[in-house]
Amino acid sequence: MWLLISELVRRLTKFFVSENTTNPRTTESDEIIQIIYNENLPFDEYFAIIDKHFEQRMSLSVSREQLKDRAEQFRAVQKRLLVRFKDRNAVPLQNMDVLLEGTYEQLNTIANDVQNKEKELREASNRLSSATQLMQRLIRYKFHLDDHNFLFLQNYLSYMVTDSDEQGWEESTDASLVSLLRTSLALSAQDAANLPQPLVAPSNTHALKKHINTVCEKTANRKRL
């Protein structure tokens, strides 16, 4: 959807710029085209996409921990079996061979699960990136942001969705929005004086969604960032 809107705006701008060049009707200070969005911002739909991405992140994290545990168990059983095989006096394996085979099967199953969840996370990240770009444009057209303020918005509510074991989109975006609320969107000296919190993986997306709402509310009142 964001791509269609972007292309529509590009073509409208190109058309009216060409029209204005051939048939001047405005002064240099007048806007050639103004796009307005009067509907409510689609927070519910956008937040649902954020929640889905976050759920995929957490699910992948759990599966990776399970894979790590099974890999450690597999190596431990291997070492114990090697010790038994090297022993000159034969001793019973005490079902360690069965345990090794079972752990190997679990390892393969979880590894396949991790691969599937990594693919699902990439798809969720692409949807979140597209939804964020759409949301950026709707915020711009609803609150009449100029190019400077729109670029400002893009820097703080980024559509670049990158996730790693150490840091994900949710916590980095939340930290950016909190910084915005404590600087250019601060209503009082007390808001600006609040110390930033350490960047840690959240247990849910409640704070992030609250800060997105707050940024939009303050932008609506000030028409700038």
Side-chain angles (χ1 to χ4, degrees), residues 156-170:
Y156 283 92
L157 182 61
S158 176
Y159 66 85
M160 300 295 292
V161 182
T162 55
D163 298 306
S164 65
D165 294 337
E166 295 79 21
Q167 181 178 314
W169 181 87
E170 285 78 7

Side-chain angles (χ1 to χ4, degrees), residues 42-208:
F43 286 117
D44 290 342
E45 293 81 0
Y46 183 51
F47 290 163
I49 292 174
I50 291 177
D51 287 337
K52 184 63 176 178
H53 174 264
F54 185 73
E55 289 171 7
Q56 294 290 352
R57 275 186 61 198
M58 296 300 101
S59 179
L60 176 58
S61 178
V62 170
S63 293
R64 282 175 171 169
E65 283 298 319
Q66 291 175 344
L67 183 63
K68 179 181 177 182
D69 291 340
R70 291 298 179 275
E72 291 176 354
Q73 177 178 317
F74 186 76
R75 288 192 294 269
V77 176
Q78 273 186 321
K79 290 179 180 178
R80 294 182 64 181
L81 281 173
L82 286 173
V83 171
R84 293 292 179 93
F85 290 144
K86 290 180 180 179
D87 195 340
R88 293 182 179 180
N89 299 319
V91 293
L93 295 179
Q94 297 179 338
N95 292 326
M96 280 195 294
D97 55 333
V98 177
L99 179 60
L100 182 70
E101 182 179 356
T103 303
Y104 180 74
E105 292 177 354
Q106 291 179 351
L107 200 59
N108 280 332
T109 300
I110 298 174
N112 290 332
D113 184 54
V114 167
Q115 286 184 331
N116 292 333
K117 289 182 177 179
E118 286 176 342
K119 179 181 177 181
E120 292 172 354
L121 179 59
R122 286 194 297 270
E123 293 173 352
S125 297
N126 289 335
R127 287 193 296 270
L128 177 56
S129 177
S130 298
T132 301
Q133 292 186 75
L134 174 60
M135 200 68 171
Q136 290 172 345
R137 283 159 175 78
L138 294 182
I139 292 173
R140 177 181 192 177
Y141 302 143
K142 186 171 182 64
F143 303 135
H144 316 299
L145 300 181
D146 58 20
D147 290 343
H148 173 75
N149 282 285
F150 181 57
L151 180 60
F152 214 61
L153 173 66
Q154 289 179 308
N155 288 334
Y156 283 92
L157 182 61
S158 176
Y159 66 85
M160 300 295 292
V161 182
T162 55
D163 298 306
S164 65
D165 294 337
E166 295 79 21
Q167 181 178 314
W169 181 87
E170 285 78 7
E171 53 265 37
S172 59
T173 300
D174 190 46
S176 296
L177 295 177
V178 169
S179 175
L180 179 62
L181 291 169
R182 289 173 178 169
T183 51
S184 61
L185 290 181
L187 296 179
S188 64
Q190 183 178 358
D191 291 339
N194 290 330
L195 295 176
Q197 299 298 317
L199 191 63
V200 295
S203 58
N204 54 61
T205 60
H206 298 335
L208 170 61

